[in-house]
Amino acid sequence: MIIREREHDFIFIEQHNHALVAGELIKQWKMEPFTNSPLQEAVIFAIEQHDAGWIPADKQPFWNDAKEMPYSFIDFPAPMKTLLYSHGIDQVQTTDLYAALLCSEHYVRFLEQDDTESGRNFVQQEKKRQEIIHSLLTSLDEELFSYHYALLQFCDNLSLFLCLNEPGENSHPFFTKGIPLSSALPHFSQEKMAVTWVNDKKMVIKEFPFNNPFSVTYDFKQIPKYQIRKNGLLNSYVEAPFKQTTIQMKEKQES
């Protein structure tokens, strides 16, 4: 779950809804070699589904007693988190091996420096999965795979930027200096993408890598803190209706 705490309420964005935004971003990508790759649909599928393992957990969010707020994906307990990661990759693998390899690599890089038992076990398990997939995808182009993985990272980060920040603001510490750009993406002159809010419904991007201006929409729930104190987190979340935020994205024009 992505959580934004405000003075009187919490904003909840389910991880899969954030991933669907990332999927909308990659569908707008205009740069080669993505646009002429026979693996294009597999990459889109990986990006759209990379957080699918969170779906069951996010339907019933958990309360963090120590912080007196709901658990987010950032502080969710590691043993449970790695189980969700594995479950999601398993689901993707039933549809597409290349997409599963991308998702596996994505989560392995999250946890390669994790010295917990669950983190080490997850990385070991996924390295074995990757070896098996590599043996099945005998014509895999490693350079192209690195490019596709960088696209997953980028779309994930840009979607997180939109979801972690209040519309119109750039206050979350992950992205105050911009969106990280991998060296595997040759289209950019900087190491971070500059994004600027025009207002709470529109943002502009320097070195715009997408097609024409477009909009993305994500679902969220807004739950007052008093409601949680009165009815509990689970009941409050299940009963709350989904709302939507739509943000327009366009190229920043040089003055």
Side-chain angles (χ1 to χ4, degrees):
M1 188 74 76
I2 294 171
I3 304 292
R4 296 203 306 260
E5 182 177 13
R6 307 197 296 194
E7 183 177 2
H8 299 296
D9 56 37
F10 293 105
I11 300 297
F12 295 75
I13 303 170
E14 296 181 8
Q15 285 285 97
H16 187 58
N17 288 333
H18 133 73
L20 293 177
V21 171
E24 290 303 310
L25 295 173
I26 193 59
K27 290 173 186 176
Q28 297 293 331
W29 193 261
K30 69 179 180 183
M31 305 293 191
E32 295 184 357
F34 172 72
T35 54
N36 64 358
S37 171
L39 293 166
Q40 185 176 18
E41 290 303 316
V43 177
I44 292 172
F45 184 72
I47 294 174
E48 284 183 329
Q49 300 298 320
H50 76 271
D51 277 333
W54 287 96
I55 292 174
D58 281 355
K59 298 303 179 187
Q60 297 186 340
F62 298 82
W63 185 257
N64 186 334
D65 291 330
K67 294 186 176 181
E68 297 186 340
M69 65 181 294
Y71 274 109
S72 76
F73 75 98
I74 298 170
D75 58 9
F76 200 76
M80 283 294 295
K81 187 186 294 189
T82 54
L83 286 176
L84 297 175
Y85 290 170
S86 297
H87 173 62
I89 301 167
D90 288 345
Q91 287 183 300
V92 172
Q93 186 169 336
T94 62
T95 299
D96 191 284
L97 286 175
Y98 191 79
L101 187 62
L102 284 169
C103 292
S104 177
E105 183 70 11
H106 187 56
Y107 283 120
V108 163
R109 295 206 189 187
F110 279 167
L111 294 174
E112 274 186 316
Q113 305 305 317
D114 190 312
D115 61 358
T116 64
E117 182 180 3
S118 59
R120 292 193 302 270
N121 289 341
F122 174 82
V123 170
Q124 184 179 27
Q125 165 193 302
E126 288 306 313
K127 291 290 187 182
K128 290 180 180 177
R129 184 202 302 268
Q130 291 178 12
E131 288 178 6
I132 293 170
I133 295 177
H134 272 276
S135 71
L136 296 171
L137 300 177
T138 54
S139 61
L140 189 140
D141 182 327
E142 293 291 349
E143 184 176 355
L144 184 60
F145 179 82
S146 295
Y147 177 76
H148 289 156
Y149 171 67
L151 289 177
L152 193 165
Q153 281 184 305
F154 170 76
C155 293
D156 183 38
N157 280 328
L158 183 52
S159 177
L160 283 173
F161 173 88
L162 296 173
C163 294
L164 286 169
N165 286 301
E166 290 288 333
E169 298 181 8
N170 182 11
S171 58
H172 197 279
F174 282 6
F175 304 113
T176 52
K177 295 182 179 180
I179 310 299
L181 295 168
S182 168
S183 60
L185 298 177
H187 320 295
F188 306 100
S189 61
Q190 305 294 322
E191 293 182 353
K192 292 185 182 288
M193 171 180 280
V195 292
T196 306
W197 290 100
V198 177
N199 52 48
D200 63 357
K201 293 180 174 23
K202 182 186 297 185
M203 61 183 298
V204 293
I205 297 174
K206 188 176 180 181
E207 296 188 288
F208 196 70
F210 304 108
N211 290 308
N212 298 324
F214 66 102
S215 295
V216 292
T217 299
Y218 62 80
D219 293 339
F220 69 95
K221 291 190 177 187
Q222 178 182 0
I223 304 178
K225 292 179 178 180
Y226 80 84
Q227 193 75 37
I228 295 174
R229 289 193 295 268
K230 179 181 178 183
N231 296 329
L233 174 59
L234 181 55
N235 288 336
S236 298
Y237 187 80
V238 170
E239 293 172 3
F242 277 106
K243 301 181 180 181
Q244 289 189 324
T245 290
T246 298
I247 298 167
Q248 183 182 4
M249 313 180 78
K250 61 185 298 186
E251 185 171 9
K252 184 177 182 180
Q253 301 297 322
E254 297 296 337
S255 56

